[in-house]
């Protein structure tokens, strides 16, 4: 590779972490090229713009990005205010992508289709590390290619939700019933209100996304008679979903669990525990969601199903690269012991960076929500620290890459207990490690959600 100032860094995804990576690259004299598949930066955040985060502004702004914004006269948001996704876009991501030096480095409507190395397929080794990356992407002009010295994949997982099936596969009939199924966090109190008002709505999942959606469905039931929220829980113990309450160092996150726990105790929603979805069938009476046999096993009938069971990474465009992923979580192997929900559900994974996120393919790094693979926990600040370290490593400043520059808030939920069938670990108390649900959010109003990278 050439000198630091000549190094081109391709960054996949113009979400909070991807834009932060570009800001750090500019700060170090590198040449970032950000490829965003959506029509605008922060497109994934737009999908949950109705959600209020349960981390305040002080935890949502990257240092290098802030410096770029302030150079243009940016008005810093109130540090203690909890922004919605819409506010995050309007006050941070859009100005960063469109009104700073980054505007010349972000290419929207540019979907990465494949990555390889110039003159090298996956098999060839000798001299591989010096060959530039070839990034093939598609935009309105057709299929294009660019070369880069390093690649940071911050493409997130938002567009790849987990299915309803308890075995990791789509439930039988899930695809055929797709018009009555939504994934992640629909805006049940506003944009999607007409779809859910007065309906029996089943919500599958046990993380912050499911909890926030159920809370808003209870509120909708107060406004529209006939609205019936049903919580489908794969595990047997609903209390595992209630979180760290007052022990959470992000109070709004603890508040979310406490609010939900009270609604459950008050019987404001129907709970179906131990419900392992296997079949989904459209009938004249509605959507028949079954656990076991499609015809005669345990089942319920609902008008709508919301699947909030997390997300998974997608690596098809990196097939010609040499990747090493944990076989269970599909994350970088060095990161797996820190985030494996089978082992703990702590609130703050220790800071980590280039060393943990590097791949056998020299110069290729996975960052942001995607770096956590299928693990259900991620904080945006974690992603900012990741890319600060990665960019330092690309620039050759290995001392800075190894240095820890982050202190994360604890959740008050931490456990050595195994993961239950919903992906929720038992509440306990063991110090600090991570928590924030996979899309990173939960509905607006009085409930606030964990912040993740969301692309």
């Amino acid at each position: 590779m050439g000198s630091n100032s000549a190094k081109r860094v391709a960054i996949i995804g113009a979400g909070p972490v991807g834009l932060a990576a570009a800001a750090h690259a500019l700060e170090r004299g590198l040449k970032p090229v950000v490829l965003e598949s959506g029509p605008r930066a922060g497109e994934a955040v737009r999908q949950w713009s109705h959600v209020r985060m349960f981390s305040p502004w002080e935890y949502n702004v990257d240092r290098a990005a802030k410096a770029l914004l302030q150079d243009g006269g940016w008005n810093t948001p109130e540090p203690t205010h909890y922004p919605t996704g819409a506010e995050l876009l309007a006050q941070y991501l859009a100005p960063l992508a469109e009104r700073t030096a980054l505007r010349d480095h972000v290419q929207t409507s540019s979907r990465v289709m494949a990555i390889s190395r110039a003159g090298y397929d996956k098999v060839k080794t000798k001299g591989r590390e010096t060959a530039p990356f070839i990034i093939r992407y598609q935009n309105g002009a057709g299929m294009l290619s660019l070369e880069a010295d390093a690649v940071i994949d911050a493409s997130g997982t938002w567009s790849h939700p987990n299915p309803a099936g308890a075995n990791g596969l789509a439930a039988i009939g899930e695809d055929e019933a797709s018009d009555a199924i939504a994934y992640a966090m629909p805006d049940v109190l506003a944009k999607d209100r007409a779809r859910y008002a007065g309906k029996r709505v089943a919500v599958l999942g046990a993380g912050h996304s499911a909890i926030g959606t159920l809370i808003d469905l209870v509120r909708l039931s107060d406004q529209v008679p006939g609205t019936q929220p049903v919580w489908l829980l794969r595990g047997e113990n609903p209390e595992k979903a209630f979180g760290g309450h007052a022990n959470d160092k992000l109070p709004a996150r603890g508040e979310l669990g406490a609010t939900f726990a009270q609604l459950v105790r008050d019987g404001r929603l129907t709970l179906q525990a131990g419900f392992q979805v296997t079949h989904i069938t459209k009938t004249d009476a509605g959507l028949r969601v079954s656990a076991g046999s499609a015809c005669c096993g345990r089942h319920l009938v609902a008008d709508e199903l919301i699947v909030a069971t997390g997300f998974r990474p997608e690596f098809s465009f990196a097939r010609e690269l040499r990747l090493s992923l944990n076989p269970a979580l599909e994350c970088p192997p060095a990161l797996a012991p820190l985030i494996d929900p089978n082992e703990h559900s702590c609130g703050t994974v220790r800071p980590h960076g280039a060393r943990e996120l590097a791949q056998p393919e020299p110069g290729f790094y996975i960052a942001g929500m995607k770096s956590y693979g299928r693990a259900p926990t991620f904080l945006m600040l974690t992603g900012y620290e990741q890319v600060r370290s990665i960019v330092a490593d690309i620039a050759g400043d290995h001392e800075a890459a190894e240095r820890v520059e982050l202190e994360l808030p604890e959740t008050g939920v931490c456990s050595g207990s195994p993961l239950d069938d919903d992906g929720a670990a038992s509440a306990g108390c063991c110090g600090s490690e991570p928590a924030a649900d996979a899309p990173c959010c939960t509905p607006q109003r009085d409930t606030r959600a964990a912040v993740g990278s969301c692309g």
Side-chain angles (χ1 to χ4, degrees):
M1 297 186 186
S3 64
N4 286 348
S5 61
K7 284 184 180 178
R8 175 181 281 184
V9 183
I11 299 163
I12 306 172
V17 175
L19 293 176
H24 283 276
L26 280 184
E27 188 177 68
R28 286 188 172 272
L30 306 178
K31 296 181 178 179
V33 178
V34 183
L35 299 173
E36 165 58 43
S37 61
R40 295 163 292 184
E43 190 60 25
V45 178
R46 249 173 212 92
Q47 310 308 309
W48 50 269
S49 60
H50 61 289
V51 169
R52 188 173 298 282
M53 301 166 121
F54 54 46
S55 55
W57 271 114
E58 63 181 308
Y59 293 129
N60 298 325
V61 177
D62 172 74
R63 177 193 58 75
K66 182 178 181 179
L68 284 178
L69 285 162
Q70 288 179 328
D71 285 346
W74 183 57
N75 291 321
T76 307
E78 170 56 47
T80 59
H81 175 68
Y82 293 83
T84 63
E87 289 172 329
L88 185 73
L89 277 168
Q91 298 177 44
Y92 178 56
L93 296 180
L96 180 60
E98 299 167 9
R99 301 177 204 163
T100 72
L102 288 187
R103 64 181 174 272
D104 298 325
H105 299 269
V106 177
Q107 298 183 28
T108 56
S109 299
S110 298
R111 180 176 295 278
V112 173
M113 307 302 291
I115 308 175
S116 187
R117 299 197 88 123
Y120 289 78
D121 64 13
K122 190 173 187 175
V123 177
K124 189 176 179 181
T125 298
K126 188 175 180 181
R128 183 180 190 86
E129 68 280 359
T130 62
F133 288 94
I134 302 294
I135 297 93
R136 187 166 294 171
Y137 64 101
Q138 188 163 15
N139 64 15
M143 195 71 74
L144 303 172
S145 292
L146 66 83
E147 290 191 359
D149 299 291
V151 178
I152 301 173
D153 181 0
S155 58
T157 58
W158 179 262
S159 58
H160 300 280
N162 287 324
N167 53 13
L169 305 177
I172 295 173
E174 185 170 347
D175 293 342
E176 292 77 5
S178 60
D179 61 342
I181 303 174
Y183 295 84
M185 301 186 67
D187 187 359
V188 302
L189 283 174
K191 186 180 71 173
D192 302 309
R193 178 188 177 96
R195 177 172 178 175
Y196 299 106
K199 306 287 182 62
R200 190 174 200 217
V201 185
V203 179
L204 174 64
H208 296 106
S209 300
I211 290 170
T213 299
L214 284 161
I215 290 172
D216 271 3
L217 283 169
V218 170
R219 292 193 174 126
L220 185 59
S221 72
D222 290 335
Q223 302 166 14
V224 182
T227 305
Q228 302 173 57
V230 180
W231 182 19
L232 300 184
L233 182 66
R234 289 174 179 163
E236 298 287 350
N237 185 0
E239 293 183 0
K240 291 182 178 181
F242 296 162
H245 297 238
N247 293 324
D248 198 320
K249 296 301 187 291
L250 291 178
R253 185 167 54 191
E255 218 176 275
L256 180 74
T259 298
F260 184 63
Q262 193 59 53
L263 291 176
V264 173
R265 293 188 194 103
D266 291 345
R268 299 297 311 281
L269 50 87
T270 301
L271 168 62
Q272 293 278 353
F275 201 98
Q276 307 264 331
V277 176
T278 57
H279 298 74
I280 300 174
T281 310
K282 294 192 75 173
T283 71
D284 291 340
L287 207 59
R288 181 185 174 105
V289 185
S290 304
S293 167
C295 64
C296 29
R298 184 181 176 194
H299 71 275
L300 65 86
V301 176
D303 299 300
E304 295 280 347
L305 173 64
I306 298 172
V307 180
T309 54
F311 299 80
R312 60 182 59 180
E314 204 278 324
F315 291 103
S316 61
F317 62 71
R319 186 172 182 180
E320 282 304 306
L321 301 180
R322 296 179 176 183
L323 302 185
S324 178
L325 301 172
N326 177 267
L329 300 184
E330 298 180 23
C331 69
L335 193 53
L338 307 180
I339 63 174
D340 189 346
N342 290 290
E343 303 300 328
H344 55 71
S345 101
C346 299
T348 331
V349 170
R350 70 166 172 79
H352 54 276
R355 180 172 58 182
E356 291 85 357
L357 301 171
Q359 287 291 312
E361 193 69 65
F364 183 79
Y365 305 83
I366 303 169
M369 189 73 209
K370 190 170 183 177
S371 72
Y372 272 39
R374 296 196 185 198
T377 61
F378 188 78
L379 288 172
M380 197 177 288
L381 272 182
T382 297
Y384 295 160
E385 172 67 3
Q386 287 177 341
V387 294
R388 180 206 62 78
S389 172
I390 288 169
V391 171
D393 197 53
I394 293 170
D397 188 348
H398 304 301
E399 181 183 352
E402 290 289 327
R403 190 165 60 238
V404 172
E405 296 186 7
L406 178 65
E407 183 176 341
L408 290 169
E410 299 176 12
T411 61
V413 178
C414 190
S415 172
S417 302
L419 188 74
D420 75 6
D421 291 332
D422 280 293
S426 302
C429 183
C430 67
S432 58
E433 309 241 5
D437 190 37
C440 54
C441 343
T442 192
Q444 193 178 335
R445 291 95 200 172
D446 296 328
T447 56
R448 300 180 172 103
V451 57
S453 80
C454 293

